[in-house]
Amino acid sequence: FLPPSIMLLTGLTVFLIACLHEDVAILTAAYFVVEQGMSPTVAAVLAYAGMLANNLVLYTLGAHARRYCWVQRWLANDHAARIRHRLERHLVITLTLSRLGQSMLTPALLGCGFLHVPLRRVMPIVALTAAIYLVTLLTLAIALGERVLRQVGEWAWVVPVVLIVLVTLFIARRRIVPR
């Protein structure tokens, strides 16, 4: 088990990773709980705070995009108003399904900010879905991690972490590099 200064650093790591990628942060938090003795509550709170910070930044980026002249012209037409109305009508289901789908939450939150869906409607839904998602996956990751650790050994964490990092890099590379 680690001294408090190192535990603070691991907690900060969980928060920062959650700001970048939620699923990797959940695995990292589970690793720190199982391997390093971090409290599951502390790991969950730090990951949750990072997830909410990330979601708020995405919404804000979409909202700031409205400041451009060409965006304001596009938002003034009926097509944008219809899209906003449809998004507002189906906001709960849209954000819930977006949380479950890999890489779908980012465009949903950017769109909410861009189309000026009120933040007071978006954040409670995002907070609730993030809490349910985090608790469910963190509990599964901790339970599976403890079981795998008992059967395979301490290096068992390397395989899923490396796989997630490789898949994330592959997806990011396909989006960034044109064909």
Side-chain angles (χ1 to χ4, degrees):
F1 292 82
L2 301 174
S5 60
I6 301 298
M7 197 59 76
L8 180 65
L9 185 62
T10 57
L12 183 62
T13 302
V14 170
F15 174 80
L16 292 175
I17 291 174
C19 288
L20 299 173
H21 197 287
E22 297 171 355
D23 295 332
V24 175
I26 292 170
L27 280 178
T28 304
Y31 170 78
F32 286 141
V33 167
V34 173
E35 285 285 323
Q36 307 300 329
M38 180 183 269
S39 163
T41 304
V42 170
V45 167
L46 291 169
Y48 185 66
M51 290 167 72
L52 290 182
N54 175 25
N55 295 337
L56 184 60
V57 166
L58 290 172
Y59 177 90
T60 305
L61 285 173
H64 281 294
R66 290 192 314 257
R67 294 183 177 184
Y68 293 102
C69 293
W70 67 270
V71 172
Q72 290 174 358
R73 284 192 304 269
W74 185 83
L75 288 173
N77 71 30
D78 289 338
H79 183 67
R82 283 193 310 270
I83 293 172
R84 178 179 179 218
H85 180 66
R86 175 174 265 172
L87 181 59
E88 284 180 333
R89 261 194 349 226
H90 303 290
L91 189 62
V92 173
I93 193 75
T94 300
L95 291 176
T96 303
L97 291 177
S98 295
R99 172 74 63 190
L100 298 175
Q102 186 69 21
S103 301
M104 290 173 52
L105 188 61
T106 299
L109 289 171
L110 287 170
C112 286
F114 184 76
L115 294 169
H116 200 57
V117 176
L119 183 62
R120 68 181 182 277
R121 287 200 56 217
V122 172
M123 282 312 287
I125 298 166
V126 166
L128 181 62
T129 59
I132 294 168
Y133 185 76
L134 172 68
V135 169
T136 303
L137 289 185
L138 185 60
T139 303
L140 285 171
I142 290 171
L144 292 173
E146 289 173 341
R147 185 176 178 108
V148 167
L149 184 64
R150 280 195 307 265
Q151 292 181 357
V152 179
E154 64 185 52
W155 287 98
W157 286 96
V158 174
V159 174
V161 170
V162 168
L163 285 174
I164 287 176
V165 168
L166 288 175
V167 168
T168 303
L169 290 173
F170 176 74
I171 291 170
R173 184 176 176 275
R174 290 191 61 173
R175 290 185 182 171
I176 294 171
V177 178
R179 291 183 182 220

